[in-house]
């Protein structure tokens, strides 16, 4: 029986092999033939085994045929163990069906090809994850804040969902899902779905996501989590240690949501909760619908870094509601989100703070533009054949944001925000490309072509940044430049600078404006006056450490070691290790710290840092 089905499978693959690839590549980062047959609903049934660090179970795909002649369903997988595939024509009776797991592509993983009968309505794939899953981090109890229970979280964006469930892993398709997750009692599982605050903590959890989402927004976390409400529609999940601090830090989330509702249309996802992850989380935040995942490094006690919450909340419109159809258009997600984030910050915290945040973004963009090959400084680079993880940098985020800021200046802020509101309504629950945005823009806002086609085309297709951008002037930043100059010229001492009321943004600006060549004398003056090596704000600490590593500033060594051993956020640790590697005197010390810290880092961070070759 087994042998016969294998022969059939071979025959079926060879007989129509030509049809497997040529039709497609609507998404260069997926093998899925979603234009012929699409998965419209998932049923997940998973057991979470912390001893083996393994998810085991099945995923059921309910199918919609777009091409009636289609004979196979191709799913994306990476490092998964497939144990069986069954198919059903009625959703009740299931039969084994032939499948083939092909050899791995370096970027896309292994296509799983499943034979379909003309009346197949659904398939189930039984599988296990493996320790190589790039989209999962398994933490032992020791690696968590409370040190009592293990922790698991997923990170699917951009193409890591396929490492923990076989699916059509493309942002061009949207699915609803339901899930059943089993784990040890005492642990709580949460997903990017409807999490109920009063769930019984018995180890059996059920989820339902009735709104269609792209695959990269499917998310799961399991740990010793507790919930605290912040308002009727917002709350925090965290390990107990963080719960109170987090709910104070994020208390303005409801205000942010109210502001976004006014500007961009009613929040479409019911609740908005935040999940505080362990500090090994490789990002600042991830916009998983109804439940953004965030790093604890933004819990500083002074709300100085909560623009990150505004950012992840903003994705509820830009990204989660209107989605880039492929990772070549990532600016549609991240550039729009930076714009919306800044509008929320302006509404809730005022123009000055929003302006400082924009200027800090521009500063980071300018630094990045110096390092990138010109082709990668375009808003729409071609990422086929390249890892979409590398598509996320300041260009789509900040150049994208600046394009929208420029349009808002040209058409007027209110008119532009109203246009965006119509854009989000028009393309709600759709995945679109840049051309679709440009068409809508031409029809809805630029009918008289007052914004020239040449200018728009330069923004979208040319490398670099035009000189024409108008940036806000920040008095606070100007004052800092002036006093810094005075000190550098020896006209004043640091203790005379009025730093008492400087915000974190002002400190960041101060550090980033410092010359890269400071004398040992100047370094110790700075250290004496401000103790920057002791800063508990991860942004300030990193900005300072990046500056002083090349200068062999000894006082950074101990706190830096501590930082690298406890924080896994790539935005901080990658530049720090990069600077350390470039300093011949500190390089072997850094390699030693990395060896010690590596087991606690997320697989994605490990991969990125291994590439540095410390
Ligand atoms: N969607 C991103 C997180 C992400 C980035 C996932 C790259 C996969 C690849 C998220 O919305 C984000 O942009 N986070 C930023 C914070 C933001 C304030 C710029 C981050 O993690 O630093
Ligand atoms: Zn983002």
């Amino acid at each position: 029986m087994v042998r016969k089905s294998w022969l059939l499978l071979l025959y079926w693959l060879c007989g129509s092999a030509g049809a497997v690839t040529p039709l497609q590549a609507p998404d260069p980062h997926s093998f899925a033939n979603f234009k012929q047959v699409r998965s419209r609903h998932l049923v997940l049934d998973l057991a979470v085994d912390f001893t083996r660090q393994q998810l085991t179970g099945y995923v059921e795909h309910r199918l919609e045929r777009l091409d009636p002649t289609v004979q196979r369903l191709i799913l994306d997988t990476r490092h998964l163990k497939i144990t069986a595939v069954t198919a059903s024509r009625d959703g009740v009776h299931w039969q084994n069906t032939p499948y083939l797991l092909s050899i791995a592509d370096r970027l896309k993983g292994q296509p799983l090809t499943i034979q379909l009968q003309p009346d197949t309505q659904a398939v189930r794939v039984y599988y296990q994850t493996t320790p190589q899953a790039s989209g999962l981090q398994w933490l032992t109890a020791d690696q968590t804040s409370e040190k009592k229970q293990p922790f698991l979280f997923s990170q699917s964006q951009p193409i890591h969902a396929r490492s923990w469930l076989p699916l059509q892993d493309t942002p061009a398709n949207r699915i609803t899902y339901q899930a059943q997750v089993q784990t040890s009692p005492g642990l709580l599982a949460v997903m990017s779905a409807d999490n109920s605050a009063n769930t019984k903590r018995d180890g059996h959890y059920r989820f339902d996501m009735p709104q269609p989402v792209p695959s990269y927004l499917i998310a799961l976390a399991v740990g010793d989590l507790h919930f605290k409400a912040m308002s009727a529609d917002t709350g925090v999940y965290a390990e107990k240690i963080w719960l109170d601090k987090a709910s104070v830090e994020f208390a303005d989330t409801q205000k942010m949501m109210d502001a976004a509702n006014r500007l961009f249309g009613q929040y479409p996802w019911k609740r908005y909760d935040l999940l505080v992850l362990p500090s090994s989380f490789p990002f600042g935040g991830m916009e998983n619908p109804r439940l953004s995942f965030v790093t604890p490094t933004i819990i500083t006690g002074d709300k100085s870094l909560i623009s990150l919450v505004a950012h992840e909340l903003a994705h509820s419109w830009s990204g989660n509601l209107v989605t880039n159809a492929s990772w070549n258009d990532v600016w549609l997600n991240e550039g729009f989100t930076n714009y919306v984030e800044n509008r929320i910050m302006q509404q809730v915290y005022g123009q000055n703070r929003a302006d400082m945040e924009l200027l800090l973004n521009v500063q980071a963009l300018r630094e990045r533009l110096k390092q990138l090959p010109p082709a990668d400084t375009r808003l729409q680079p071609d990422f086929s054949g390249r890892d979409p993880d590398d598509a996320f940098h300041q260009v789509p985020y900040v150049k994208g944001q600046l394009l929208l800021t420029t349009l808002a200046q040209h058409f007027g802020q209110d008119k532009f925000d109203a246009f965006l509101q119509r854009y989000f309504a028009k393309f709600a629950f759709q995945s679109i490309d840049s051309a679709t945005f440009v068409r809508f823009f031409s029809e809805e806002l630029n009918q008289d072509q007052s914004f020239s086609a040449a200018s728009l085309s330069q923004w979208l297709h040319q490398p670099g940044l035009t000189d024409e951008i108008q940036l806000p002037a920040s008095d606070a930043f100007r004052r800092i430049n002036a006093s810094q100059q005075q000190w550098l010229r020896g006209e004043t001492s640091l203790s005379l600078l009025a730093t008492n009321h400087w915000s974190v943004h002002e400190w960041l600006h101060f550090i980033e404006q410092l010359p890269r060549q400071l004398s040992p004398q100047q370094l110790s003056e700075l250290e004496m006056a401000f103790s920057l090596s002791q800063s508990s704000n991860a942004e300030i600490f990193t900005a300072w450490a990046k500056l002083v590593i090349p200068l062999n500033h000894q006082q950074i060594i101990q706190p830096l070691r501590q930082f690298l051993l406890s924080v896994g956020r790539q935005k901080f640790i990658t530049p720090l290790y990069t600077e350390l590697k470039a300093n011949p005197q500190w390089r072997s010390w850094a390699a030693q710290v990395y060896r010690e810290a590596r087991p606690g880092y997320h697989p994605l961070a490990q991969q990125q840092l291994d590439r540095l070759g410390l």
Side-chain angles (χ1 to χ4, degrees):
M1 174 59 204
V2 170
R3 221 169 272 151
K4 189 167 150 212
S5 66
W6 270 108
L7 279 176
L8 270 173
L9 175 64
L10 261 179
Y11 168 76
W12 158 76
L13 279 168
C14 298
S16 42
V20 176
T21 26
L23 259 176
Q24 31 213 327
D27 176 349
H29 299 110
S30 169
F31 283 111
N33 56 340
F34 62 94
K35 299 251 155 148
Q36 297 178 295
V37 50
R38 66 175 210 98
S39 168
R40 57 175 178 80
H41 181 77
L42 295 186
V43 182
L44 259 178
D45 189 330
L46 291 176
V48 183
D49 181 343
F50 279 100
T51 319
R52 294 192 165 157
Q53 302 202 325
Q54 191 177 55
L55 298 178
T56 311
Y58 71 79
V59 58
E60 176 180 329
H61 290 271
R62 309 238 169 109
L63 303 174
E64 177 185 358
R65 278 156 203 271
L66 306 168
D67 171 355
T69 67
V70 67
Q71 293 178 30
R72 62 181 65 76
L73 171 72
I74 306 172
L75 301 179
D76 294 298
T77 78
R78 183 191 289 135
H79 297 312
L80 290 180
K81 205 167 145 199
I82 308 297
T83 49
V85 179
T86 60
S88 173
R89 59 178 62 131
D90 54 10
V92 180
H93 303 93
W94 297 86
Q95 268 179 339
N96 281 330
T97 191
Y99 66 91
L100 180 77
L101 190 61
S102 304
I103 55 161
D105 173 88
R106 187 177 57 90
L107 292 174
K108 290 186 281 188
Q110 294 177 274
L112 173 66
T113 305
I114 299 166
Q115 184 173 340
L116 299 180
Q117 301 300 328
D119 54 358
T120 307
Q121 284 199 6
V123 299
R124 278 185 184 173
V125 183
Y126 291 80
Y127 70 99
Q128 294 166 1
T129 62
T130 63
Q132 292 106 301
S134 56
L136 297 178
Q137 187 176 16
W138 297 88
L139 297 166
T140 59
D142 247 10
Q143 294 170 312
T144 64
S145 308
E146 297 258 345
K147 309 211 180 302
K148 286 190 206 128
Q149 295 278 6
F151 203 107
L152 164 71
F153 66 89
S154 70
Q155 167 54 46
S156 298
Q157 194 186 22
I159 57 167
H160 303 289
R162 66 191 66 177
S163 75
W164 65 281
L165 69 155
L167 79 177
Q168 298 182 316
D169 198 6
T170 170
N173 184 46
R174 305 181 85 92
I175 43 183
T176 51
Y177 74 85
Q178 68 196 79
Q180 187 158 257
V181 175
Q182 297 206 41
T183 184
S184 17
L187 293 181
L188 181 66
V190 289
M191 290 192 82
S192 52
D194 66 332
N195 296 290
S196 154
N198 338 314
T199 307
K200 210 158 82 213
R201 297 171 78 94
D202 60 359
H204 295 272
Y205 303 99
R206 284 173 176 280
F207 305 92
D208 194 21
M209 184 37 147
Q211 296 167 296
V213 295
S215 59
Y216 75 87
L217 292 177
I218 302 177
L220 167 69
V222 183
D224 190 1
L225 293 170
H226 297 266
F227 176 77
K228 185 161 177 173
M230 298 190 292
S231 68
D233 296 328
T234 69
V236 200
Y237 289 89
E239 290 183 72
K240 271 230 171 87
I241 282 194
W242 287 114
L243 203 57
D244 290 333
K245 283 189 207 124
S247 68
V248 172
E249 194 83 27
F250 305 147
D252 297 337
T253 306
Q254 183 66 52
K255 282 190 208 156
M256 294 180 177
M257 195 195 269
D258 295 343
N261 282 340
R262 278 196 308 275
L263 293 175
F264 303 112
Q266 193 56 40
Y267 179 76
W269 303 95
K270 271 175 80 178
R271 291 193 56 84
Y272 184 72
D273 294 320
L274 293 155
L275 167 64
V276 180
L277 287 179
S279 59
S280 65
F281 182 46
F283 298 110
M286 177 62 215
E287 64 269 26
N288 297 315
R290 300 188 183 195
L291 182 66
S292 289
F293 289 14
V294 300
T295 166
T297 60
I298 56 169
I299 303 175
T300 53
D302 60 5
K303 300 188 180 176
S304 57
L305 304 180
I306 33 91
S307 61
L308 188 135
V309 173
H311 180 95
E312 305 314 335
L313 173 67
H315 272 302
S316 307
W317 290 264
S318 43
N320 299 4
L321 189 61
V322 181
T323 308
N324 54 210
S326 87
W327 302 112
N328 285 342
D329 280 314
V330 71
W331 82 279
L332 290 181
N333 274 19
E334 298 298 350
F336 276 63
T337 296
N338 262 16
Y339 176 84
V340 172
E341 166 202 330
N342 199 253
R343 295 294 298 125
I344 295 173
M345 292 306 289
Q346 185 269 342
Q347 295 281 303
V348 181
Y349 302 97
Q351 195 67 48
N352 290 343
R353 176 161 179 180
D355 286 349
M356 288 193 283
E357 291 181 348
L358 174 65
L359 291 169
L360 288 169
N361 282 353
V362 174
Q363 167 81 15
L365 171 64
R366 292 209 161 112
E367 284 305 310
R368 198 62 204 253
L369 285 176
K370 290 184 208 155
Q371 298 153 5
L372 288 168
D376 284 355
T377 67
R378 296 170 304 167
L379 270 187
Q380 295 171 77
D382 179 7
F383 256 77
S384 29
R386 295 174 65 185
D387 188 340
D389 268 324
D390 299 335
F392 291 75
H393 49 69
Q394 272 81 7
V395 170
Y397 281 81
V398 185
K399 187 176 173 180
Q401 174 181 14
L402 286 173
L403 167 54
L404 300 192
T405 308
T406 302
L407 294 176
Q409 279 161 2
H410 178 89
F411 292 98
Q413 187 81 77
D414 293 348
K415 204 171 156 197
F416 188 70
D417 288 345
F419 159 76
L420 279 188
Q421 178 160 354
R422 295 201 298 283
Y423 164 80
F424 293 135
K426 164 87 179 181
F427 299 107
F429 297 105
Q430 294 181 39
S431 303
I432 65 165
D433 59 12
S434 296
T436 306
F437 164 71
V438 170
R439 220 175 304 122
F440 189 71
F441 167 74
S442 311
E443 289 162 7
E444 283 281 319
L445 191 63
N446 198 31
Q447 298 93 329
D448 61 359
Q449 302 191 8
S450 68
F451 195 86
S452 82
S455 182
L456 186 62
S457 158
Q458 169 163 11
W459 272 102
L460 290 173
H461 306 296
Q462 295 302 313
L465 191 61
T466 101
D467 301 328
E468 287 157 33
I469 49 166
Q470 285 175 32
L471 294 175
S474 160
D475 288 340
F477 281 7
R478 238 197 333 249
R479 277 196 296 275
I480 284 172
N481 293 352
S483 11
Q484 191 177 85
Q485 284 306 318
Q486 278 186 320
W487 171 65
L488 287 167
R489 287 195 301 263
E491 295 165 12
T492 182
S493 81
L494 289 174
S495 56
L496 293 177
L497 300 190
T499 56
N500 274 356
H501 300 288
W502 281 6
S503 65
V504 167
H505 306 84
E506 288 164 284
W507 277 111
L508 288 171
H509 181 72
F510 176 81
I511 296 168
E512 267 149 28
Q513 292 306 305
L514 283 168
R516 302 292 100 173
Q517 285 302 333
L518 288 164
S519 67
Q521 167 68 20
Q522 287 171 317
L523 275 180
S524 64
E525 269 183 59
L526 285 163
E527 197 71 272
M528 292 278 274
F530 307 137
S531 308
L532 291 167
S533 296
Q534 305 303 322
S535 175
S536 58
N537 185 297
E539 295 280 353
I540 292 181
F541 179 81
T542 304
W544 172 247
K546 266 167 28 188
L547 172 75
V548 303
I549 290 168
L551 304 174
N552 291 322
H553 182 54
Q554 295 296 325
Q555 269 157 283
I556 199 70
I557 294 254
Q558 266 321 307
L560 181 56
R561 185 184 133 80
Q562 199 42 48
F563 187 84
L564 292 170
L565 284 169
S566 56
V567 174
R569 188 173 168 192
Q570 286 169 303
K571 176 186 175 187
F572 300 139
I573 64 176
T574 305
L576 290 173
Y577 280 114
T578 306
E579 290 298 343
L580 285 167
K581 188 190 167 195
N583 182 342
Q585 299 186 39
W586 288 12
R587 188 175 169 174
S588 69
W589 174 80
Q592 218 178 311
V593 175
Y594 179 49
R595 262 197 305 280
E596 204 177 321
R598 190 179 184 280
Y601 292 153
H602 190 279
L604 292 170
Q606 293 183 348
Q607 199 187 323
Q608 194 183 58
L609 294 168
D610 287 349
R611 273 196 268 166
L612 281 183
L614 255 171

